Amino acid sequence: MTEFDDRADGDDSRAAGAPPQSYRGPVVLRGEQRNQASTTDQRLLDSRGPSDWVHTDPWRVLRIQAEFVEGFGALASLPRAVSVFGSARTKPEDPHYGQAQQIGAALAKEGFAVITGGGPGIMEAANKGAKEAGGLSVGLGIELPFEQGLNHYVDLGINFRYFFTRKTMFVKYSQAYICLPGGFGTLDELFEALTLVQTKKVTKFPVVLFGSEYWGGLMEWIRSSVAGAGNVSAPDLDLLHVTDDVDDAIRVVHDAYAAWQAAH
Protein backbone atom coordinates (compact mmCIF):
# COMPACT_ATOMS: atom_id res chain seq x y z
CA MET A 1 0.00 0.00 0.00
CA THR A 2 1.49 3.35 -0.99
CA GLU A 3 1.29 6.45 1.15
CA PHE A 4 -1.51 7.81 -1.03
CA ASP A 5 -3.69 4.66 -0.99
CA ASP A 6 -7.21 5.29 0.24
CA ARG A 7 -7.47 3.17 3.35
CA ALA A 8 -11.28 3.12 3.17
CA ASP A 9 -11.05 -0.14 1.23
CA GLY A 10 -10.84 -2.89 3.78
CA ASP A 11 -10.41 -0.41 6.67
CA ASP A 12 -13.24 -1.20 9.09
CA SER A 13 -11.79 1.17 11.73
CA ARG A 14 -13.11 4.25 9.92
CA ALA A 15 -16.63 5.28 10.86
CA ALA A 16 -19.38 4.78 8.29
CA GLY A 17 -20.07 7.90 6.27
CA ALA A 18 -16.63 9.42 6.97
CA PRO A 19 -15.16 11.29 3.99
CA PRO A 20 -12.59 9.52 1.80
CA GLN A 21 -9.08 10.03 3.04
CA SER A 22 -5.48 9.31 2.11
CA TYR A 23 -2.30 9.16 4.13
CA ARG A 24 1.08 10.75 3.71
CA GLY A 25 3.08 9.03 6.40
CA PRO A 26 1.32 9.98 9.66
CA VAL A 27 -0.58 12.82 7.96
CA VAL A 28 -4.29 12.36 7.09
CA LEU A 29 -5.45 13.96 3.81
CA ARG A 30 -9.11 14.64 3.02
CA GLY A 31 -11.01 16.60 0.43
CA GLU A 32 -8.90 18.50 -2.07
CA GLN A 33 -5.78 17.70 -0.09
CA ARG A 34 -6.03 14.15 -1.47
CA ASN A 35 -5.27 15.41 -4.99
CA GLN A 36 -1.52 15.00 -4.83
CA ALA A 37 0.38 14.94 -8.10
CA SER A 38 3.19 12.73 -6.79
CA THR A 39 4.37 10.76 -3.80
CA THR A 40 7.18 11.62 -1.43
CA ASP A 41 9.16 8.62 -2.68
CA GLN A 42 8.70 9.76 -6.24
CA ARG A 43 9.87 13.27 -5.46
CA LEU A 44 12.84 11.82 -3.57
CA LEU A 45 13.91 9.32 -6.23
CA ASP A 46 13.04 11.20 -9.42
CA SER A 47 15.98 13.54 -9.88
CA ARG A 48 14.23 15.13 -12.87
CA GLY A 49 11.54 16.61 -10.63
CA PRO A 50 11.46 20.15 -9.26
CA SER A 51 13.92 21.08 -6.51
CA ASP A 52 11.58 23.41 -4.63
CA TRP A 53 10.99 20.72 -2.01
CA VAL A 54 14.38 21.38 -0.42
CA HIS A 55 13.14 24.84 0.59
CA THR A 56 9.89 23.74 2.21
CA ASP A 57 9.24 23.87 5.96
CA PRO A 58 9.20 20.08 6.56
CA TRP A 59 12.61 19.80 4.91
CA ARG A 60 13.88 22.71 6.99
CA VAL A 61 12.88 20.79 10.11
CA LEU A 62 15.20 17.99 9.04
CA ARG A 63 17.98 20.47 8.39
CA ILE A 64 17.45 21.98 11.83
CA GLN A 65 17.50 18.51 13.37
CA ALA A 66 20.67 17.70 11.48
CA GLU A 67 22.34 20.86 12.77
CA PHE A 68 21.50 19.97 16.35
CA VAL A 69 22.78 16.41 15.89
CA GLU A 70 25.97 17.64 14.22
CA GLY A 71 26.57 20.24 16.93
CA PHE A 72 25.89 17.89 19.82
CA GLY A 73 28.07 15.21 18.26
CA ALA A 74 31.01 17.53 17.65
CA LEU A 75 30.90 19.27 21.04
CA ALA A 76 29.78 16.47 23.37
CA SER A 77 33.32 15.73 24.57
CA LEU A 78 34.30 19.38 24.92
CA PRO A 79 35.97 20.22 28.24
CA ARG A 80 34.68 23.09 30.36
CA ALA A 81 34.49 26.15 28.15
CA VAL A 82 33.79 29.88 28.03
CA SER A 83 32.23 31.79 25.14
CA VAL A 84 33.90 35.06 24.20
CA PHE A 85 31.93 37.60 22.15
CA GLY A 86 32.86 40.87 20.49
CA SER A 87 32.94 42.77 17.24
CA ALA A 88 34.07 41.14 14.01
CA ARG A 89 35.22 44.61 12.89
CA THR A 90 37.92 45.05 15.53
CA LYS A 91 41.36 45.42 13.93
CA PRO A 92 44.53 43.77 15.29
CA GLU A 93 45.96 47.18 16.22
CA ASP A 94 42.92 47.97 18.40
CA PRO A 95 43.61 47.57 22.16
CA HIS A 96 40.47 45.45 22.47
CA TYR A 97 42.01 42.89 20.12
CA GLY A 98 45.00 42.49 22.41
CA GLN A 99 42.74 42.24 25.46
CA ALA A 100 40.67 39.52 23.80
CA GLN A 101 43.86 37.64 22.99
CA GLN A 102 44.96 37.89 26.62
CA ILE A 103 41.57 36.64 27.78
CA GLY A 104 41.74 33.67 25.42
CA ALA A 105 45.21 32.78 26.67
CA ALA A 106 44.25 33.18 30.33
CA LEU A 107 41.19 30.95 29.91
CA ALA A 108 43.29 28.29 28.19
CA LYS A 109 45.81 28.33 31.03
CA GLU A 110 42.93 27.79 33.48
CA GLY A 111 41.85 24.71 31.54
CA PHE A 112 38.89 26.25 29.71
CA ALA A 113 38.23 25.79 26.02
CA VAL A 114 37.43 29.07 24.27
CA ILE A 115 34.32 29.25 22.09
CA THR A 116 33.71 32.15 19.70
CA GLY A 117 31.65 32.83 16.62
CA GLY A 118 34.72 31.83 14.66
CA GLY A 119 34.96 35.07 12.70
CA PRO A 120 37.52 37.89 12.56
CA GLY A 121 38.11 40.72 15.03
CA ILE A 122 37.54 39.97 18.71
CA MET A 123 36.60 36.37 17.88
CA GLU A 124 39.86 35.79 16.05
CA ALA A 125 41.83 37.37 18.89
CA ALA A 126 40.27 35.13 21.55
CA ASN A 127 40.78 32.02 19.40
CA LYS A 128 44.37 33.07 18.74
CA GLY A 129 45.10 33.59 22.42
CA ALA A 130 43.65 30.19 23.34
CA LYS A 131 45.45 28.32 20.57
CA GLU A 132 48.85 29.90 21.20
CA ALA A 133 48.51 29.15 24.92
CA GLY A 134 47.93 25.47 24.17
CA GLY A 135 44.17 25.47 24.77
CA LEU A 136 41.28 24.26 22.66
CA SER A 137 40.00 26.93 20.27
CA VAL A 138 36.43 26.47 19.03
CA GLY A 139 34.56 28.44 16.37
CA LEU A 140 30.81 28.27 15.78
CA GLY A 141 30.26 30.01 12.46
CA ILE A 142 27.03 31.17 10.85
CA GLU A 143 25.87 31.39 7.26
CA LEU A 144 25.74 35.09 6.34
CA PRO A 145 24.95 37.00 3.14
CA PHE A 146 28.56 38.17 3.01
CA GLU A 147 31.72 36.10 3.13
CA GLN A 148 33.29 35.61 6.53
CA GLY A 149 34.44 32.05 7.19
CA LEU A 150 36.23 30.64 10.21
CA ASN A 151 39.46 32.29 11.28
CA HIS A 152 42.74 30.39 11.06
CA TYR A 153 43.06 29.92 14.84
CA VAL A 154 40.02 27.65 15.16
CA ASP A 155 40.89 24.03 16.02
CA LEU A 156 37.30 22.76 16.07
CA GLY A 157 34.84 24.56 13.84
CA ILE A 158 31.20 24.15 12.89
CA ASN A 159 29.23 26.27 10.43
CA PHE A 160 25.51 26.66 11.11
CA ARG A 161 22.60 27.72 8.93
CA TYR A 162 20.37 28.82 11.80
CA PHE A 163 21.14 31.32 14.53
CA PHE A 164 18.98 29.59 17.13
CA THR A 165 20.81 26.27 16.68
CA ARG A 166 24.14 28.02 17.06
CA LYS A 167 22.95 29.91 20.15
CA THR A 168 21.95 26.65 21.80
CA MET A 169 25.50 25.37 21.34
CA PHE A 170 26.99 28.51 22.89
CA VAL A 171 24.86 28.18 26.02
CA LYS A 172 24.90 24.39 26.35
CA TYR A 173 28.68 24.02 26.18
CA SER A 174 29.77 27.18 28.03
CA GLN A 175 30.20 27.83 31.72
CA ALA A 176 30.32 31.62 31.25
CA TYR A 177 30.11 34.45 28.72
CA ILE A 178 32.68 37.20 28.36
CA CYS A 179 31.53 40.08 26.17
CA LEU A 180 34.03 42.56 24.80
CA PRO A 181 32.95 45.65 22.82
CA GLY A 182 30.74 44.56 19.97
CA GLY A 183 27.63 45.32 17.94
CA PHE A 184 24.15 43.89 17.56
CA GLY A 185 25.37 40.27 17.52
CA THR A 186 27.21 40.72 20.80
CA LEU A 187 24.21 42.48 22.34
CA ASP A 188 21.93 39.70 21.13
CA GLU A 189 24.03 37.01 22.79
CA LEU A 190 24.41 39.13 25.92
CA PHE A 191 20.71 39.73 26.52
CA GLU A 192 19.70 36.21 25.62
CA ALA A 193 22.15 34.88 28.21
CA LEU A 194 20.84 37.33 30.81
CA THR A 195 17.28 36.22 30.13
CA LEU A 196 18.21 32.56 30.55
CA VAL A 197 20.04 33.27 33.82
CA GLN A 198 17.29 35.53 35.15
CA THR A 199 14.64 32.89 34.45
CA LYS A 200 16.91 30.16 35.86
CA LYS A 201 17.06 28.23 32.62
CA VAL A 202 20.80 28.12 33.27
CA THR A 203 22.45 28.43 36.68
CA LYS A 204 25.86 29.50 37.98
CA PHE A 205 26.45 31.23 34.65
CA PRO A 206 28.33 34.53 34.97
CA VAL A 207 28.14 37.18 32.27
CA VAL A 208 31.22 39.43 32.20
CA LEU A 209 31.29 42.76 30.35
CA PHE A 210 34.90 43.60 29.59
CA GLY A 211 35.58 47.31 29.08
CA SER A 212 33.92 49.68 31.54
CA GLU A 213 34.18 52.70 29.24
CA TYR A 214 32.36 50.89 26.45
CA TRP A 215 29.70 49.21 28.60
CA GLY A 216 29.29 52.00 31.18
CA GLY A 217 26.52 53.80 29.30
CA LEU A 218 24.52 50.62 28.88
CA MET A 219 24.87 49.76 32.57
CA GLU A 220 23.78 53.24 33.58
CA TRP A 221 20.73 52.99 31.34
CA ILE A 222 19.82 49.59 32.80
CA ARG A 223 20.14 50.96 36.32
CA SER A 224 18.36 54.25 35.79
CA SER A 225 15.75 53.42 33.15
CA VAL A 226 15.11 49.68 33.24
CA ALA A 227 15.52 49.06 36.96
CA GLY A 228 14.27 52.57 37.72
CA ALA A 229 10.97 51.72 36.03
CA GLY A 230 10.73 48.49 37.99
CA ASN A 231 11.18 46.30 34.91
CA VAL A 232 14.03 44.37 36.52
CA SER A 233 14.75 43.90 40.20
CA ALA A 234 17.86 44.97 42.10
CA PRO A 235 19.31 41.41 42.23
CA ASP A 236 19.06 41.23 38.44
CA LEU A 237 21.70 43.93 38.19
CA ASP A 238 24.16 41.58 39.90
CA LEU A 239 23.92 39.19 36.94
CA LEU A 240 26.38 41.43 35.08
CA HIS A 241 30.00 41.92 36.12
CA VAL A 242 31.87 44.83 34.54
CA THR A 243 35.65 44.84 34.59
CA ASP A 244 38.77 46.13 32.83
CA ASP A 245 41.08 43.52 34.34
CA VAL A 246 41.77 40.17 32.69
CA ASP A 247 42.59 38.46 35.99
CA ASP A 248 39.34 39.72 37.50
CA ALA A 249 37.35 38.36 34.56
CA ILE A 250 38.99 34.96 34.91
CA ARG A 251 38.38 35.00 38.68
CA VAL A 252 34.65 35.52 38.14
CA VAL A 253 34.54 32.61 35.71
CA HIS A 254 36.62 30.36 37.97
CA ASP A 255 34.56 31.13 41.10
CA ALA A 256 31.27 30.49 39.30
CA TYR A 257 32.55 27.20 37.94
CA ALA A 258 33.76 26.14 41.38
CA ALA A 259 30.32 26.96 42.82
CA TRP A 260 28.66 24.95 40.05
CA GLN A 261 30.92 21.97 40.78
CA ALA A 262 30.12 22.18 44.49
CA ALA A 263 26.39 22.15 43.73
CA HIS A 264 26.75 19.04 41.60
Side-chain angles (χ1 to χ4, degrees):
M1 181 178 293
T2 69
E3 64 175 347
F4 286 102
D5 285 341
D6 190 335
R7 297 189 184 181
D9 296 335
D11 186 356
D12 296 329
S13 64
R14 195 158 60 86
Q21 63 188 35
S22 300
Y23 287 78
R24 186 172 62 206
V27 179
V28 177
L29 303 172
R30 291 175 177 166
E32 293 183 357
Q33 293 298 312
R34 297 177 67 235
N35 300 324
Q36 301 287 336
S38 62
T39 67
T40 302
D41 285 336
Q42 179 184 342
R43 292 193 296 274
L44 174 65
L45 298 173
D46 188 353
S47 61
R48 296 168 297 174
S51 61
D52 290 348
W53 61 275
V54 301
H55 304 298
T56 61
D57 287 341
W59 184 252
R60 289 190 181 99
V61 170
L62 294 179
R63 279 181 169 170
I64 292 166
Q65 175 181 291
E67 286 207 341
F68 277 113
V69 171
E70 188 71 27
F72 292 154
L75 302 174
S77 59
L78 203 67
R80 57 182 183 168
V82 173
S83 288
V84 179
F85 299 99
S87 177
R89 305 182 185 189
T90 304
K91 304 301 182 185
E93 59 271 18
D94 190 305
H96 296 313
Y97 187 101
Q99 292 165 343
Q101 188 173 341
Q102 292 175 35
I103 289 171
L107 288 169
K109 291 173 183 177
E110 286 291 321
F112 289 95
V114 172
I115 306 175
T116 78
I122 294 294
M123 295 173 281
E124 176 186 281
N127 286 136
K128 180 179 180 180
K131 183 177 180 65
E132 292 183 345
L136 178 57
S137 175
V138 181
L140 306 182
I142 186 68
E143 181 179 294
L144 295 172
F146 45 86
E147 287 296 325
Q148 183 167 312
L150 297 176
N151 66 68
H152 297 302
Y153 300 100
V154 169
D155 295 316
L156 172 61
I158 310 172
N159 276 308
F160 292 91
R161 280 191 175 94
Y162 301 101
F163 269 109
F164 55 85
T165 311
R166 179 182 183 237
K167 288 179 178 180
T168 300
M169 302 303 155
F170 277 126
V171 174
K172 180 174 176 58
Y173 294 103
S174 296
Q175 275 70 52
Y177 277 10
I178 298 179
C179 298
L180 285 91
F184 288 153
T186 301
L187 293 171
D188 178 44
E189 298 290 353
L190 164 63
F191 283 109
E192 182 167 56
L194 286 176
T195 302
L196 292 172
V197 176
Q198 182 195 46
T199 56
K200 300 189 185 303
K201 298 295 184 182
V202 294
T203 57
K204 305 295 183 185
F205 193 98
V207 180
V208 178
L209 299 181
F210 195 91
S212 59
E213 183 177 355
Y214 187 86
W215 297 108
L218 174 64
M219 290 300 300
E220 179 55 34
W221 175 75
I222 292 174
R223 280 191 292 266
S224 61
S225 296
V226 183
N231 293 324
V232 296
S233 61
D236 292 331
L237 299 178
D238 295 331
L239 299 178
L240 285 164
H241 182 85
V242 184
T243 186
D244 294 300
D245 183 73
V246 173
D247 290 338
D248 184 46
I250 305 305
R251 177 193 60 78
V252 171
V253 172
H254 186 274
D255 289 352
Y257 183 74
W260 179 85
Q261 280 188 308
H264 291 76

